[in-house]
Amino acid sequence: MTERLTQISYDALPDAVKPLADDILKVSSAALGGPYNALLRSPEMARRCFDHLDYLRFRTSVNKRLNEFAILIQARISNAQYEWWAHEIIARKAGLSEAVMKDLRECKRPSSMQDDERLVYDYCIQLSLNHRVPDALWQEAVDTMGEQAVIDLTVLSGTYVMVSMLLNATQVGIPGGGELPLEVLEPMTIRSRLLA
């Protein structure tokens, strides 16, 4: 997979864009790489996306372990190699178990999920693959997590569909030519396995 965009350097950015790059560099494990390399080609959108992502990653009402699990779910659905690579590390630090990540990486419904992880999995899978959430699942999510967290989780899921598309469209690779973490599967295979 050949990356489609050359890496933007900080020094090549217009002065008006450098404050945004400074903000990105404070939180990005990939410096100006990953999705930011593409987003910086549209600076106004990049600023808006950065602020949006800042809330969803660092200020959301969803706990960090569940938030990162939801991001990994989107990465698996989308075959988004970079997204999985970047967020697996963060999910591990947030307490998501190796067993859950292994099953999801292998495109299987994780067998050892905690109750809150099961709820997030079911919610994100239904929303992402069926574009709907059944009434009973919605009510369980609201009763368990609260309305704000359910809305935050919903927006997070949709946002990481966008991030996955951006990474896949621009063919962002693993830094240093690292091994791809996900087997690339056809959408119908992913759907059938994750809904099982």
Side-chain angles (χ1 to χ4, degrees), residues 87-163:
H87 285 275
E88 181 178 28
I89 298 163
I90 301 166
R92 184 175 292 116
K93 287 179 184 173
L96 190 63
S97 77
E98 294 295 331
V100 167
M101 288 189 287
K102 180 181 183 293
D103 282 350
L104 184 59
R105 185 184 315 105
E106 294 173 0
C107 204
K108 295 188 250 182
R109 179 186 177 87
S111 60
S112 61
M113 291 183 283
Q114 298 176 40
D115 287 343
D116 57 356
E117 292 166 353
R118 192 259 330 141
L119 179 58
V120 165
Y121 180 89
D122 289 345
Y123 188 90
C124 291
I125 291 295
Q126 287 298 318
L127 183 62
S128 299
L129 298 179
N130 291 328
H131 308 290
R132 298 276 186 278
V133 176
D135 289 342
L137 182 56
W138 169 265
Q139 197 58 56
E140 181 186 5
V142 169
D143 291 347
T144 304
M145 300 174 71
E147 288 181 341
Q148 180 181 351
V150 173
I151 296 305
D152 284 358
L153 179 63
T154 302
V155 173
L156 175 84
S157 292
T159 299
Y160 276 85
V161 169
M162 178 272 295
V163 173

Side-chain angles (χ1 to χ4, degrees), residues 9-28:
S9 73
Y10 182 87
D11 292 336
L13 292 170
D15 288 342
V17 179
K18 286 183 178 176
L20 169 59
D22 292 335
D23 289 344
I24 291 168
L25 290 168
K26 290 174 191 170
V27 299
S28 173

